[in-house]
């Protein structure tokens, strides 16, 4: 016959086991506003975490390089990694539907009236972009880099102000990253001074899972999440409206 104490211990053990079974480790890197280690959040992380939480999981974020995160997911050391790009399903790694669309964008000052309808129209401009950009945007962009005043830099937080001051005539950067740094101290700061040239194809970001069943659950809940435009709330939290 069970005593009250033994029943309590038994129930505590069962509840503890259930909670433990619902814990997931999500790996990510540090690259605002998509991944922001300082606040344990960011656009990509928060969308993935909130969808998983709506499924009843408790999510812990672990920070490392995306390459390390992907490898740890494949080996089953952790449950998921975000973001991941251009991946296909394989044993130990199952890719979700897209969670965020990265938007490589050319920014110029509206008052300068630059007409940029293709990547090649950047030829001759004074351009600043992120480190390693020539490896992402194809041969036309490589050609532009050889025939323009072209610079790559890690200091993306400076790009909006450098453009405003006329130090460069064009910035090539993800739409969210540019606006995050431009509005880092004021989410209502006027963006109408810039002209946006969408001449580079967008890139879809996803979550990679070790468990196919969890990936499938995630996809179903993600569809509802995006339909309800909950991702917009997260995006505007970081870059304003």
């Amino acid at each position: 016959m069970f005593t009250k104490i033994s029943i309590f211990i038994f129930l505590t053990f069962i509840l503890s086991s259930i909670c433990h079974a619902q814990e997931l480790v999500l790996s990510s890197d540090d690259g605002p506003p998509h991944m922001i280690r300082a606040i344990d959040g960011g656009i990509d992380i928060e969308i993935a975490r909130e969808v998983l939480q709506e499924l009843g999981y408790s999510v812990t974020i672990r920070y490392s390089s995306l390459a390390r995160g992907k490898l740890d997911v494949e080996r089953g050391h952790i449950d998921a990694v975000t973001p991941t790009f251009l991946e296909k399903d394989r044993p130990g790694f199952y890719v979700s539907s897209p969670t965020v669309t990265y938007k490589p964008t050319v920014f110029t000052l509206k008052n300068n009236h630059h007409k940029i309808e293709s990547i090649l129209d950047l030829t001759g401009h004074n351009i600043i972009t992120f480190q390693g950009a020539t490896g992402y945007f194809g041969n036309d962009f490589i050609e532009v880099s050889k025939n323009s005043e072209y610079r790559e830099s890690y200091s993306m937080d400076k790009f909006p102000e450098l453009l405003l001051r006329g130090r460069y005539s064009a910035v090539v950067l993800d739409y969210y990253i540019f606006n995050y740094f431009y509005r880092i101290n004021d989410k209502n700061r006027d963006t109408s001074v810039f002209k946006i040239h969408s001449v580079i194809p967008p890139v879809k970001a996803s979550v990679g899972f070790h468990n196919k069943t969890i990936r499938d659950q995630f996809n179903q809940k993600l569809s509802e999440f995006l339909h309800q435009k909950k991702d917009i709330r997260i995006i505007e939290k970081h870059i304003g409206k």
Side-chain angles (χ1 to χ4, degrees):
M1 184 173 180
F2 285 113
T3 65
K4 289 183 178 180
I5 293 177
S6 61
I7 290 173
F8 175 78
I9 293 173
F10 176 75
L11 290 175
T12 300
F13 173 78
I14 293 298
L15 289 172
S16 175
S17 298
I18 291 172
C19 290
H20 180 70
Q22 292 179 329
E23 292 178 356
L24 295 179
V25 177
L26 173 68
S27 181
S28 196
D29 205 337
D30 188 21
H34 294 281
M35 307 150 278
I36 310 175
R37 184 171 187 170
I39 64 169
D40 206 26
I43 295 171
D44 298 52
I45 291 173
E46 289 172 39
I47 290 175
R49 181 167 57 199
E50 288 195 19
V51 171
L52 288 168
Q53 287 173 338
E54 288 189 10
L55 286 167
Y57 294 103
S58 174
V59 182
T60 299
I61 311 300
R62 190 207 72 175
Y63 294 92
S64 69
S65 71
L66 295 180
R68 171 64 186 276
K70 185 169 66 175
L71 186 61
D72 283 346
V73 170
E74 288 185 77
R75 292 174 172 173
H77 297 165
I78 59 173
D79 302 288
V81 59
T82 193
T84 186
F85 306 93
L86 306 174
E87 295 281 352
K88 294 183 179 180
D89 286 1
R90 55 187 178 274
F93 197 86
Y94 301 95
V95 183
S96 77
S97 300
T99 55
V100 182
T101 299
Y102 282 54
K103 302 176 182 179
T105 303
V106 177
F107 295 88
T108 63
L109 291 178
K110 186 174 289 185
N111 288 342
N112 289 340
H113 306 290
H114 293 304
K115 189 176 182 180
I116 299 171
E117 297 178 346
S118 73
I119 289 177
L120 289 174
D121 289 336
L122 281 168
T123 302
H125 274 270
N126 189 359
I127 304 163
I128 189 167
T129 187
F130 63 93
Q131 200 74 31
T134 51
Y136 289 92
F137 301 141
N139 291 331
D140 283 352
F141 192 78
I142 293 173
E143 191 67 22
V144 166
S145 71
K146 293 176 180 177
N147 294 285
S148 305
E149 295 183 47
Y150 179 86
R151 180 189 170 198
E152 295 182 359
S153 173
Y154 286 111
S155 302
M156 294 180 289
D157 57 321
K158 306 290 195 304
F159 287 9
E161 299 305 319
L162 290 172
L163 182 60
L164 281 172
R165 298 205 307 264
R167 293 282 300 279
Y168 296 89
S169 61
V171 167
V172 180
L173 195 62
D174 172 67
Y175 177 86
Y176 298 126
I177 296 175
F178 183 93
N179 282 285
Y180 172 78
F181 286 123
Y182 177 66
R183 287 179 150 182
I184 196 163
N185 296 315
D186 179 5
K187 292 297 184 287
N188 296 309
R189 194 177 181 190
D190 179 26
T191 59
S192 68
V193 296
F194 302 114
K195 186 173 182 180
I196 294 170
H197 310 268
S198 301
V199 296
I200 303 174
V203 180
K204 303 288 187 180
S206 302
V207 182
F209 289 92
H210 181 71
N211 184 294
K212 185 177 183 295
T213 299
I214 297 176
R215 188 279 308 272
D216 293 344
Q217 293 174 344
F218 181 88
N219 279 349
Q220 184 173 356
K221 181 61 68 174
L222 175 66
S223 178
E224 299 172 15
F225 190 88
L226 298 179
H227 180 72
Q228 295 166 359
K229 300 187 183 302
K230 293 181 179 179
D231 59 320
I232 302 300
R233 167 181 50 82
I234 292 171
I235 290 168
E236 290 183 348
K237 167 186 169 184
H238 294 288
I239 69 168
K241 293 187 178 181

